[in-house]
Amino acid sequence: MRVEQVEITPIAVPDVPLLNTKGVHQQVFLRSIIEVTTDTGITGLAETYGAARTLDALKQTAPHLAGLDVWNLNDLRRRIESALPDAGGINAPTMLADHQKVDVAYSAWEMALLDIQGKAIGRPVSDLLGGAVRGQIGFGAYLFFKFAKPADQVGEDIMGEVMTPDAMVEQARMLVDAHGFRSLKLKGGVLEPDAEVETLLKLRETFPDHPLRIDPMGAWTVPTALRVIDRLHGVLEYLEDPVRGMDAMAELARQTDMPLASNLVTVEFEDVIEVARNGAVQIILSDPHYWRGPTGCRHLGEMCRAAGMGVAMHSNSHLGISMAAMCHVAAATPNLRFDVDTHYPWSRHDVVKGGRAAFADGKLDVPAGPGVGVDLDRDSLTELASLYDTIMMQDRDDTEEMKKYIPDYVRQVPRW
């Protein structure tokens, strides 16, 4: 089977004003939906980021896929690298980490090719990754401080304003009641550290058996992080990216036994080797959208196993194709033992047939059908592609969006 046709559809999906240390989410998030069709008529699906640099990378590489043997992933990598020499990163300057265009483009195309492979032999993608070690994937409630969505923005709000510890406890209660989540992750770096500590202590009091995590996205200095760790001893499952940069993470790690996780200082395989040597990180967050696809995530899992590090899974705003792919990767990564992050409950839309996946006790079944295991809903795709054309937004900029709420806002990382 060889690649005959490729289609890339950028879409915009209504979002809500979720806060982070860089700013706030815009009124929509952007995704790219990919369809790759072979000379035998099989079409593979993939979903990835939708901002301008990712779209450019996809469009630059798409013509180079013509005639590609869908089983030859090494040739796919060679073609991507040839099409994107010295391509650099995909992320805007306001982001805190960068992912290489080559890796992001490869990840997207690999996802579609694995879907084709699975459909061709009647097996799920998890089988192509070595076999599922679990049939259900546990997810955690992703908690965000947030503004109320302005009335002039597209789409509906979810849960209104959440800007206090007590309001966050109510948000957690609503997500747990609705979806059965059994762990909680707080996006931190928004309120002052003492307020976020208070939030976590109230969450622990309300949910005594739920593992807790916080991700300040590098918003704290090392002294601040140590003070927070002292107050949260025995409360957190792990602490994700409390300080900014490899050197700061290593400095912090030398002064605490709190498990430190990261998706900001570890984004390439070379980073895994470095943190294995300097001890800066004990848990690395996997993600099939930039860790060189589903097969790259499996390689990451093996590297972490060999280095004695843990594996978790990162999330960005996403829809059902990505969700299915994440489930397959999680199913086929034996040492992924933490509940997976997901933004999925913060949207009301999807592009897969049958509607949005429904969590049961915080878990999703790994799709059992061939390939990724989902089919495209053409009507929904058309609707969200039309919104992309009308909304006229091509990049994510949380900092600039924040100035609509707080005109004198200045991005500062670390802030405390």
Side-chain angles (χ1 to χ4, degrees):
M1 291 184 296
R2 296 187 179 273
V3 173
E4 188 171 81
Q5 182 179 343
V6 170
E7 188 168 354
I8 305 161
T9 306
I11 62 173
V13 186
D15 203 355
V16 293
L18 306 177
L19 287 154
N20 57 62
T21 198
K22 307 186 308 295
V24 65
H25 284 205
Q26 293 155 285
Q27 63 176 319
V28 297
F29 65 86
L30 305 176
R31 302 297 277 176
S32 298
I33 304 301
I34 293 170
E35 301 171 75
V36 176
T37 303
T38 69
D39 54 4
T40 62
I42 298 177
T43 297
L45 302 178
E47 175 189 337
T48 189
Y49 313 116
R53 297 183 191 186
T54 297
L55 272 177
D56 287 345
L58 294 174
K59 291 175 180 178
Q60 283 180 259
T61 54
H64 294 259
L65 270 61
L68 172 69
D69 179 349
V70 302
W71 295 95
N72 195 336
L73 299 181
N74 286 327
D75 191 22
L76 171 64
R77 183 72 186 186
R78 182 190 64 79
R79 294 184 186 214
I80 299 301
E81 290 176 345
S82 176
L84 297 172
D86 303 316
I90 64 154
N91 290 337
T94 56
M95 302 297 277
L96 296 176
D98 208 359
H99 306 128
Q100 296 303 302
K101 286 184 181 179
V102 168
D103 292 339
V104 172
Y106 175 85
S107 297
W109 297 124
E110 184 192 85
M111 193 183 299
L113 295 191
L114 291 176
D115 191 29
I116 291 170
Q117 292 177 15
K119 289 173 177 175
I121 63 173
R123 303 296 290 268
V125 164
S126 55
D127 282 357
L128 302 174
L129 300 175
V133 298
R134 53 185 71 89
Q136 291 185 316
I137 307 303
F139 290 84
Y142 210 154
L143 310 178
F144 287 85
F145 294 105
K146 64 182 293 292
F147 297 136
K149 189 176 178 77
D152 61 350
Q153 290 190 356
V154 65
E156 63 182 286
D157 199 3
I158 300 174
M159 299 189 192
E161 180 180 281
V162 178
M163 292 299 294
T164 67
D166 288 337
M168 184 59 73
V169 170
E170 289 307 307
Q171 181 189 106
R173 186 176 283 117
M174 291 175 68
L175 287 169
V176 169
D177 289 347
H179 305 291
F181 293 128
R182 297 184 179 184
S183 65
L184 308 172
K185 174 178 174 176
L186 176 65
K187 180 63 78 176
V190 176
L191 305 184
E192 292 197 6
D194 286 344
E196 294 187 351
V197 169
E198 180 186 353
T199 300
L200 287 163
L201 293 175
K202 288 192 172 187
L203 287 168
R204 167 54 66 236
E205 181 180 357
T206 307
F207 301 95
D209 299 321
H210 283 58
L212 299 180
R213 319 165 193 166
I214 181 172
D215 173 18
M217 296 181 68
W220 302 337
T221 63
V222 170
T224 298
L226 288 169
R227 181 167 58 83
V228 169
I229 288 170
D230 185 61
R231 293 190 62 192
L232 294 176
H233 181 74
V235 173
L236 296 181
E237 182 178 34
Y238 62 71
L239 176 58
E240 180 181 339
D241 286 310
V243 296
R244 186 176 185 184
M246 182 72 76
D247 291 344
M249 287 287 284
E251 180 185 351
L252 178 62
R254 287 192 292 269
Q255 300 179 66
T256 182
D257 59 1
M258 170 73 73
L260 303 179
S262 182
N263 77 292
L264 294 182
V265 302
T266 46
V267 296
E268 300 282 341
F269 290 115
E270 293 81 0
D271 299 329
V272 182
I273 296 171
E274 184 172 358
V275 299
R277 289 171 174 164
N278 67 18
V281 174
Q282 291 75 55
I283 300 161
I284 297 178
L285 274 70
S286 171
D287 189 325
H289 302 91
Y290 65 83
W291 272 107
R292 301 193 185 184
T295 64
C297 290
R298 282 289 288 113
H299 295 321
L300 174 63
E302 284 302 299
M303 289 183 74
C304 289
R305 180 196 60 76
M309 293 186 287
V311 182
M313 187 175 286
H314 172 256
S315 166
N316 205 314
S317 299
H318 65 91
L319 298 177
I321 301 172
S322 286
M323 175 63 87
M326 291 163 64
C327 284
H328 285 291
V329 170
T333 306
N335 53 329
L336 195 158
R337 298 189 177 93
F338 300 99
D339 284 344
V340 173
D341 293 351
T342 181
H343 289 64
Y344 198 64
W346 291 107
S347 174
R348 296 285 188 253
H349 298 265
D350 215 326
V351 291
V352 297
K353 286 185 177 178
R356 293 174 55 77
F359 297 95
D361 294 325
K363 298 179 180 180
L364 290 179
D365 291 334
V366 179
V372 174
V374 295
D375 296 312
L376 200 55
D377 184 326
R378 291 280 169 196
D379 291 340
S380 296
L381 181 67
T382 299
E383 176 187 348
L384 297 177
S386 177
L387 179 58
Y388 177 88
D389 291 337
T390 59
I391 205 75
M392 301 298 289
M393 191 183 93
Q394 296 185 327
D395 261 319
R396 176 178 174 177
D397 191 336
D398 292 7
T399 302
E400 195 63 30
E401 185 72 10
M402 189 71 154
K403 294 177 183 177
K404 297 178 182 178
Y405 300 85
I406 304 173
D408 60 351
Y409 178 79
V410 176
R411 175 182 180 270
Q412 182 181 342
V413 184
R415 186 175 293 276
W416 292 284

